[in-house]
Amino acid sequence: MYKPFGRILYGGDYNPNQWPKEVWEQDMEYFKDARINSATINVFSWAKIQPSEEEYYFDELDEIVDMLSKENYDIVMATSTGAMPSWMYRKYPEVGRVDYQGRRHKFGQRHNACPNSPVFQKYAKAIAEQLAKRYGSNPHVTCWHISNEYGGECYCENCEKAFRVWLKKKYGTIDAVNKAWNLEFWGHTVYDWDEIVAPNALGDGMENGTDTAFAGLSIDYRRFMSDSMLENFKMERDAVRPYVKDTPITTNLMGTYKFLDYFKWSKEMDIVSWDNYPSYNTPWSFTAMSHDLMRGLKDAPFMLMEQTPSQQNWQPYNSLKKPGQMRAQSLQTVAHGADTVQFFQLRRSIGGCEKFHGAVIGHVGHNNTRVFREVKQLGEELERLGTSILGAVNEAEVGIIFDWDNYWALEYTSGPTEDLTYVNQIHQYYKYFYDKNIGVNMIPFDADFSKYKIVVAPVLYMVKEGMKEALTEYVQNGGILITTFMSGLVDQSDNVYLGGYPGPLKELAGIWVEEIDALAPEQINTITFTDGTSTTCNLLCDLMHLEGAECLARYASNFYVDMPAITRNQYGKGYTYYFGTNMNKDGIAKVLEMAVQAANVAPVISEATGLEVTCRKAENCTYYFIFNFKDQVLPLPSCFDNCTDLLTGQIVTAGKMMKQYDTVLISMPN
Amino acid sequence: MYKPFGRILYGGDYNPNQWPKEVWEQDMEYFKDARINSATINVFSWAKIQPSEEEYYFDELDEIVDMLSKENYDIVMATSTGAMPSWMYRKYPEVGRVDYQGRRHKFGQRHNACPNSPVFQKYAKAIAEQLAKRYGSNPHVTCWHISNEYGGECYCENCEKAFRVWLKKKYGTIDAVNKAWNLEFWGHTVYDWDEIVAPNALGDGMENGTDTAFAGLSIDYRRFMSDSMLENFKMERDAVRPYVKDTPITTNLMGTYKFLDYFKWSKEMDIVSWDNYPSYNTPWSFTAMSHDLMRGLKDAPFMLMEQTPSQQNWQPYNSLKKPGQMRAQSLQTVAHGADTVQFFQLRRSIGGCEKFHGAVIGHVGHNNTRVFREVKQLGEELERLGTSILGAVNEAEVGIIFDWDNYWALEYTSGPTEDLTYVNQIHQYYKYFYDKNIGVNMIPFDADFSKYKIVVAPVLYMVKEGMKEALTEYVQNGGILITTFMSGLVDQSDNVYLGGYPGPLKELAGIWVEEIDALAPEQINTITFTDGTSTTCNLLCDLMHLEGAECLARYASNFYVDMPAITRNQYGKGYTYYFGTNMNKDGIAKVLEMAVQAANVAPVISEATGLEVTCRKAENCTYYFIFNFKDQVLPLPSCFDNCTDLLTGQIVTAGKMMKQYDTVLISMPN
Amino acid sequence: MYKPFGRILYGGDYNPNQWPKEVWEQDMEYFKDARINSATINVFSWAKIQPSEEEYYFDELDEIVDMLSKENYDIVMATSTGAMPSWMYRKYPEVGRVDYQGRRHKFGQRHNACPNSPVFQKYAKAIAEQLAKRYGSNPHVTCWHISNEYGGECYCENCEKAFRVWLKKKYGTIDAVNKAWNLEFWGHTVYDWDEIVAPNALGDGMENGTDTAFAGLSIDYRRFMSDSMLENFKMERDAVRPYVKDTPITTNLMGTYKFLDYFKWSKEMDIVSWDNYPSYNTPWSFTAMSHDLMRGLKDAPFMLMEQTPSQQNWQPYNSLKKPGQMRAQSLQTVAHGADTVQFFQLRRSIGGCEKFHGAVIGHVGHNNTRVFREVKQLGEELERLGTSILGAVNEAEVGIIFDWDNYWALEYTSGPTEDLTYVNQIHQYYKYFYDKNIGVNMIPFDADFSKYKIVVAPVLYMVKEGMKEALTEYVQNGGILITTFMSGLVDQSDNVYLGGYPGPLKELAGIWVEEIDALAPEQINTITFTDGTSTTCNLLCDLMHLEGAECLARYASNFYVDMPAITRNQYGKGYTYYFGTNMNKDGIAKVLEMAVQAANVAPVISEATGLEVTCRKAENCTYYFIFNFKDQVLPLPSCFDNCTDLLTGQIVTAGKMMKQYDTVLISMPN
């Protein structure tokens, strides 16, 4: 059950060790001025607080904690295990990872521990426990942050051995493995657990790192690796728990990051937190989707653990956030379910590869900067907003399935085209609802579909156990399911469902896909709707037959001209829409519009607008966040006429012209 | 001497082990329906039939053989050594290859045995012998298929040692090696055989894998590697032979695959077979050339061992074959000399990286599919065609030299341009003849040139021992030789012929090439013919002087304006045409047209047409295959008026409009 | 103090060992005919002259030296250590390098010795001493050439250990290292020297090889690696010295080659020499800049050790030098300060990867070639020119700072854009002066700035100790400093200067840069000058405030519209110009023109011309080299009317039309 913090946490990463004490004091003043009320500390301090196997050194950390406590900050305390001390590598080289190329890494960089190294585990657990023992009872430590941005992968011998144990537990017998991965193909039948080899470039993985000879094996390795790191998380969490009571324990996730099954992770986390780093050209709908995904992990409000107040350093082109952009981005985050707004970082580092990463206090060292002023303005606004928004919920009648197994499986698949990417497919459909200001929940494969009028399952390549039944029941009972090409193809081991595509979804969709054509990038096809209008499509074209479904659009060219491209099938009280090809934006919108009408799904406000309008519903009122993310001026919708903008305290009038990044926050009684 | 099978083999790879027995029975019915009469089995079954060092398990294979035998299939029996069992890796890691980057590979993928591993050799020989002993006398096993798609390379210590032995045999003394590779350059003189290092990225090979510090060394390593795998083939062949009498033994080649010297290989094979996998944008002339090359290896009909009935899975964009396209492609194969049409695969696999590779029976599991119907139609037509075409020959008055040593040497050469690729150069000239429906044989460097009116030797960079004399004699006696820039430059060790380019061809061509200019991609030159017409050229421009030759075209720009670009030299009774630059298609056609006129070379039919018309001559009649590979409708030439199309049994009339992929097969008495 | 040779050395690399003796004799005649008077020998002969650990074999080298001595050649004697003999690798594998990927290399290629291998050092020193002992007193050996084109890097354990020693010497304590590299970032604090790891891809280096987690560490590794090879150079130099008296000792550098700090190297070299290999599309201004840099290393004339007479082999497109181009390029070299013109190579090799690299004598073997004739013409002209030009100086009122520490640091920096490259930035500013025929010296960071009216310091990212004071004093006293965005950011350890950008240059420039925006490649901004004219800019845009400076141009768009983009600040008697963004060519020219006017800097001739006019001042006269490097015809400026062209001996008249590559050399009394 979600339990909000006592206030909107507003702050971020703080690592004052590089600076003399007078800077610390100065920082406290600046932060107070900016209404900053929280700090994340100790993220990469392992080497500092444990200089050797036997020694701990907490003096400096104590000082920081004391100072922050005295000033009544909410402290997010990290366990510092995101980067190992050098003495550990020197003494136990096996704590370093072996990469996809088969190379053992030495001391360097970060997020680099072999998750299955008993040595790493021993010391990580110990430091986490030490920290919890020391700071767990401090009431200002209101959140524990395990490690940092878990990710990557290891292919060392320890992992290989642990993988075999993981497999044994999952499959029981070696024959079951042979069958699951269809190892008879290419003569890979194994007779002993020890014959199973980690699928990197020296094994069954292909040189490019994205293909594999046996997707079943490689997907299981991803599952195992995600689980291995999750075990690392759980180990530290459990070491911390006894000392911290019900203080929430989290770790910072990374949106649509590929390598970890975040739905599985979130079950072990008290609260989800994540780091939001859009590029200069990331669509705002993509960021919105990422927030909705992070909220969807636990179907609850989340923490924004990191964002930059100005620019990043590690992207190819690290553009500045324009005036108002950071504010709008922060409020969009809150709009989509965040109860915290935290920056990386409060003070810009003087050296190391992130020294040009934005911060609240820059290298100039004072607060007379545009960035600071914008941080302060937002701080004041968040303070003015108060706490009643904490825990408010984002309601949605539309659910979009996001599934890491599908993510991995779809992108491992060899054929029919190499241009298919999972997240971009999902985003295409999400974007329609975003543009219409229709609320969306990003949901797991095993969600309770009955909560939604529409469930969208794009490229539902892998249909895992129970999904067929759940989706069937959903549609049977009146739900509207939208699915697409490359769906229903394989089971959870990446073996094809026989009997015709889309396998377990065949009856539900009322079609049979006989063949799948791949179009090269220079090739475009056209489809014609029954109303005579046309749109273009590309990438993949299903050649399908109606088996009960009605045809909404047909191909207008190629040898499969006149074959159905888009269909709708009534099933029980509901409908299944099937997209046999990758339509352009307009085509997608046209069909989803039909579904929305049929399902009677309502947007947040009835007026059409180019603005983003997103709602969070609190106990007594509903908050409407209105954003202009377009580079043109747009009028405030009429339903907000004469309302008070909670950010400024000003009354706004309908038709008020909003410039890019202008944001208005209005509450209405429920 | 070529000995045809008793019928056109029509079938393909069959691996029923994944399926229950009722599927096997169903398959037999479907195959019979489609007129399938052959099956290739046991390609990747090593791990299955030899579960450990001492055990063999043939029960399942016995069942398959029995079933196919009972149904009177021609069985193509593979020896299964294309992928090693995992126990072999585990016990003897040295059976895995060391790659160009110097990394030892573990169990994974396929085609992965170190060819010089005594362990691999021992077990490969043993399994081949076991199989031959067991099935060699079965009269239904009409072809033996050693391993699968030999290829790749290994740089392990065993290979390094074997390379030294190979070198000692070739060169005798270390001084001869120093001289052959010109090791004095960059101070590489070696004094002991053990100082010779395999030329991968850690030795004399460059990081990119395509360049090398010493081409002589790297070319010899390619020869050695090709020979090493050929020894693997011979070892299995010789293990099989005693048990199979004169049943032909083959292995499946891969067209213009770079790493194996197929002309050398073909001498050890009873019949050539190959796997034809064009991409969606491969020109049909390229496929035709590949067939002609495969036929040319033994100057005899060949087997098509693999093609897909519908789509591949491993290309970037795996387009479907359009209606009629598989039929046309199959018949083009027969037209160019194939006596078999075989698919990979008869039934689509449920898992593994080729699960989306096309098959006769798809995942839907029944035969009511477009693909099956097309397979069946072709099966009926091939059955109708009968057997008199078996062994029929493809006659040609034009020979084009294709030589793997040249392939390797040309592409290892550092300078003058990195954009030169061997096969594309060959194809440019082949295409002219293809477009004119002039038959071509692809011939080795030591062919009997006297059989041809025209011999084309594009980029004949390396002129090996005996070639100068053979070509001189050929032209002296009235032959027409066509050669180009980048010819006559080096001997078989990649050392330059002194005294002026094109070295041994200088006198024959009546020219001296003083310099070779390289044009960047954005640079174009123009040449003007003596008749005043012009064409463009690029890539490379020879700066040459006439030494007896006449000039056919001169450069129209750059500082070598007015210097000869294209020449013809009368030598004895013949002529040598020399192309000093890379002309566009029209320029090449213009000059080759002159040569064709001069040589009195006739196309297959006199009428000009955009159709492909290809002939095979049987004992009593000649088969004319007429294809429309263009995307426009074209009329049937008049010479075929009122003939019977052997495929349909229908009479065709001249002018009949043929759509894309329409194919007509007509026989005329000799 | 620079001491010229007795004549302009004209010759190049000569390696006659591949050829029989009659060729040697023939060569002598050809070379005499071409006025060649020098030969570089023994560059890659180590394996030949030391066939084993104990044996030396000098017979062949003796013969070559005797022959050249007899013919009165200036011999440039190389020490042959650019490539190690194979026996050394076999017996001592540690002499091979470990690359950035962590792989130990085997015998292969060249320039491959681990610089910190005691074995390599022992044998390199010994062979150098042997050679010096044997040939040091030969008066024809007028130059010693240590090794060849030093470069590359090694990451082996020996280097790692030597790095720690180097660090200890530099920093004294481990705490100083922690602070210098800001190791607290990402928890990298080290407690023991042995915990420091070489920063390759397995350590703190990123996979791409151009980024790093800790720039301070990686820059120090570059310094260490440059120093390590410099120690190799010094070791051989010192081994040779006792036997050669004051014969100059050099090694051939490579222009703007990144990995060695040539300013540091040049202090140990008696004379600078370098190898000039422009590509077909290298701007002539870039080559001129490279010469000026090589001259600037010791602020003295230099040797051109290598260039090709015709074409290279190792570039993607090895175009021929057009008629006159080699002559013009050679004379440009002399114009910019060379006292030698030497080719790689005198005779084209028959094998090895450079066999298609141009040579004076080509594979044809005779001298009746365009290349030879051009070489001979130039030889005659250089002979005619005589010796009074030797040692003549290139005067300049403009100095441009080029600094390897900045080169490394700027390109290691993560953010704000990945498109910034050091040398291209320098060249942008150099080009303005080149186009105006204004002499430029390329100067080190610690040059005596007072010698220059203008000092240009583009992207002076790292301001090292003493620079702030030196630049301040320079401007204070009336100097004009021009600097740009990405300047004054970090100290020599890559730690940011606090207190506002551009750090130590802030006061001098009279500005404060608050933020730095990065523009993606598709983004362009505009700036408007105070005179109303506009120009475009891209890449990076500083957002700055005037703190005393005047604004020369303002941004015309983006949210920082109207903020200053280009400024000028009077400081003491001088001025600092600051370019806050990357203007296009015209914008740069407009501002530099102002500076040139203000500084009263004069071009070589007052007349504007598209020709390059470059001066060298001898004791009594000044040499004017006039080149047409444009592809249009241009008139000889009027100031040269009626002068004698020293190359041809002809009198030239003003307005004489010069074609591309035409070159005129005129002397005027001082």
Side-chain angles (χ1 to χ4, degrees), chain C residues 223-460:
Chain C
R223 289 168 176 150
F224 157 71
M225 213 17 85
S226 176
D227 284 358
S228 295
M229 291 187 200
L230 182 53
E231 287 303 315
N232 292 167
F233 170 80
K234 285 161 65 180
M235 178 191 70
E236 288 196 42
R237 180 200 63 188
D238 294 346
V240 166
R241 181 64 79 206
Y243 306 96
V244 305
K245 296 197 189 133
D246 57 356
T247 304
I249 302 176
T250 189
T251 185
N252 48 344
L253 309 182
M254 295 180 289
T256 60
Y257 177 72
K258 184 169 180 179
F259 283 9
L260 303 178
D261 181 348
Y262 283 157
F263 273 112
K264 196 165 181 186
W265 276 62
S266 65
K267 291 185 175 54
E268 306 293 339
M269 298 164 65
D270 296 330
I271 183 169
V272 164
S273 68
W274 87 287
D275 301 345
N276 180 28
Y277 289 110
S279 293
Y280 79 96
N281 54 2
T282 303
W284 288 95
S285 54
F286 191 93
T287 302
M289 179 182 79
S290 303
H291 288 312
D292 288 353
L293 177 61
M294 294 294 98
R295 187 187 70 242
L297 293 182
K298 293 186 82 69
D299 196 12
F302 60 89
M303 299 174 75
L304 178 75
M305 189 64 92
E306 293 185 18
Q307 69 173 349
T308 176
S310 54
Q311 70 192 144
Q312 278 103 255
N313 69 288
W314 46 266
Q315 294 177 337
Y317 310 105
N318 299 282
S319 62
L320 294 174
K321 289 183 177 170
K322 292 184 167 45
Q325 182 174 353
M326 182 278 289
R327 176 181 180 249
Q329 184 182 313
S330 301
L331 290 164
Q332 187 193 35
T333 307
V334 176
H336 285 269
D339 278 0
T340 78
V341 173
Q342 289 166 289
F343 298 108
F344 180 82
Q345 47 193 339
L346 296 186
R347 183 174 270 277
R348 217 168 192 172
S349 184
I350 65 162
C353 67
E354 295 186 325
K355 65 181 182 294
F356 289 124
H357 195 288
V360 173
I361 308 294
H363 290 134
V364 71
H366 61 58
N367 66 351
N368 185 18
T369 64
R370 178 179 78 95
V371 169
F372 185 88
R373 284 187 295 272
E374 296 201 27
V375 168
K376 178 180 171 177
Q377 181 194 331
L378 179 61
E380 291 169 342
E381 291 174 344
L382 292 176
E383 205 175 65
R384 185 175 301 131
L385 181 54
T387 59
S388 79
I389 198 168
L390 292 168
V393 300
N394 292 67
E395 296 187 328
E397 297 177 318
V398 175
I400 298 182
I401 296 178
F402 193 102
D403 179 59
W404 267 266
D405 279 323
N406 266 288
Y407 196 166
W408 300 332
L410 188 81
E411 299 192 354
Y412 269 131
T413 286
S414 174
T417 173
E418 67 174 24
D419 283 358
L420 191 64
T421 55
Y422 184 70
V423 177
N424 287 340
Q425 282 295 322
I426 302 290
H427 177 247
Q428 279 195 105
Y429 299 92
Y430 179 91
K431 191 174 187 318
Y432 164 78
F433 299 103
Y434 175 84
D435 287 345
K436 292 288 179 186
N437 288 314
I438 293 172
V440 169
N441 276 354
M442 304 300 290
I443 59 176
F445 81 97
D446 56 357
D448 176 1
F449 301 137
S450 71
K451 292 159 102 176
Y452 302 99
K453 291 183 174 168
I454 294 179
V455 167
V456 191
V459 291
L460 191 67

Side-chain angles (χ1 to χ4, degrees), chain B residues 100-103 155 160 179 181-182 184-192 194-198 200-207 212-215 413-419 461 486 489-490 494-501 506 512 514-523 541 543 558-560, chain C residues 15-19 44-52 60 83-87 90 99 101 103-110 112 280-281 310-323 344-345 347-357 362-366 368-371 373:
Chain B
Y100 190 78
Q101 307 301 324
R103 302 174 306 184
Y155 293 92
E160 209 161 54
K179 199 167 147 48
W181 298 343
N182 198 39
E184 192 152 315
F185 172 77
W186 283 2
H188 267 45
T189 307
V190 289
Y191 295 96
D192 189 298
D194 287 350
E195 290 172 16
I196 295 169
V197 169
N200 69 358
L202 306 184
D204 267 316
M206 304 294 187
E207 193 59 33
T212 176
F214 288 86
T413 285
S414 174
T417 174
E418 65 174 26
D419 284 357
Y461 174 68
M486 288 304 280
L489 292 178
V490 301
D494 201 66
N495 288 316
V496 174
Y497 284 111
L498 301 179
Y501 316 136
K506 202 163 161 284
W512 166 44
E514 185 180 337
E515 299 182 74
I516 308 168
D517 197 18
L519 275 58
E522 71 276 16
Q523 297 174 333
C541 293
L543 276 60
N558 214 324
F559 75 87
Y560 36 88
Chain C
N15 183 21
N17 315 45
Q18 302 174 37
W19 316 91
F44 289 114
S45 311
W46 195 353
K48 197 68 177 292
I49 60 182
Q50 188 176 7
S52 72
E60 208 167 282
M84 293 178 289
S86 55
W87 55 258
R90 186 158 62 111
D99 64 19
Q101 306 303 322
R103 303 171 308 182
R104 168 78 66 188
H105 281 241
K106 302 188 289 181
F107 176 52
Q109 304 181 20
R110 56 171 184 167
N112 42 20
Y280 79 96
N281 54 2
S310 54
Q311 70 192 144
Q312 278 103 255
N313 69 288
W314 46 266
Q315 294 177 337
Y317 310 105
N318 299 282
S319 62
L320 294 174
K321 289 183 177 170
K322 292 184 167 45
F344 180 82
Q345 47 193 339
R347 183 174 270 277
R348 217 168 192 172
S349 184
I350 65 162
C353 67
E354 295 186 325
K355 65 181 182 294
F356 289 124
H357 195 288
H363 290 134
V364 71
H366 61 58
N368 185 18
T369 64
R370 178 179 78 95
V371 169
R373 284 187 295 272

